[in-house]
Amino acid sequence: MPHCCGRSFTSNGIRNHLDNSAYHSNEIECRWCYARWPTHDGKLRQEHEEKEHWLACDSCTYIFRTEELLQEHKEEEHPPNYCYGCKRSFQSLNNLNM
């Protein structure tokens, strides 16, 4: 259950509280959860979203919002048993090492 201002809220209740409270009117919020920061702290929001909600490819610097997008990227850009020298894929890692 979300908490704010020392109180607990339902999902709809927290949305109403955040939208209608004068205290929260000058804040920016995470695009994926209810976290909020002062409007001048856009960098904090970006760091939060990247750490908490985005998935990083372990082979390059790309980040993705969903597991499906990450897997699609890996299959297209980093296929298993792929030789970047001859630009071919192999059935097994043993064949790649030849």
Side-chain angles (χ1 to χ4, degrees):
M1 188 171 274
H3 297 282
C4 186
C5 299
R7 296 171 38 204
S8 297
F9 294 92
T10 64
S11 293
N12 288 337
I14 189 72
R15 171 61 46 212
N16 289 334
H17 170 75
L18 293 173
D19 289 343
N20 297 320
S21 171
Y23 178 77
H24 297 291
S25 65
N26 290 325
E27 296 176 333
I28 56 173
E29 69 178 19
C30 173
R31 289 173 276 219
W32 316 111
C33 70
Y34 297 114
R36 288 182 167 237
W37 301 269
T39 53
H40 62 278
D41 279 338
K43 186 165 176 52
L44 288 175
R45 179 177 78 174
Q46 179 181 353
E47 289 171 356
H48 162 82
E49 288 179 351
E50 288 176 2
K51 180 181 176 191
E52 299 295 328
H53 304 293
W54 294 34
L55 304 167
C57 176
D58 53 6
S59 299
C60 67
T61 60
Y62 282 62
I63 55 176
F64 301 90
R65 177 64 185 109
T66 66
E67 183 68 35
E68 293 79 25
L69 291 173
L70 174 60
Q71 289 306 320
E72 184 179 304
H73 162 79
K74 284 183 173 183
E75 290 170 7
E76 291 177 6
E77 299 298 326
H78 312 292
N81 305 327
Y82 182 77
C83 175
Y84 290 93
C86 68
K87 308 226 184 309
R88 292 174 49 205
S89 289
F90 296 88
Q91 288 287 49
S92 75
L93 191 56
N94 289 337
N95 293 339
L96 176 62
N97 291 330
M98 296 177 115

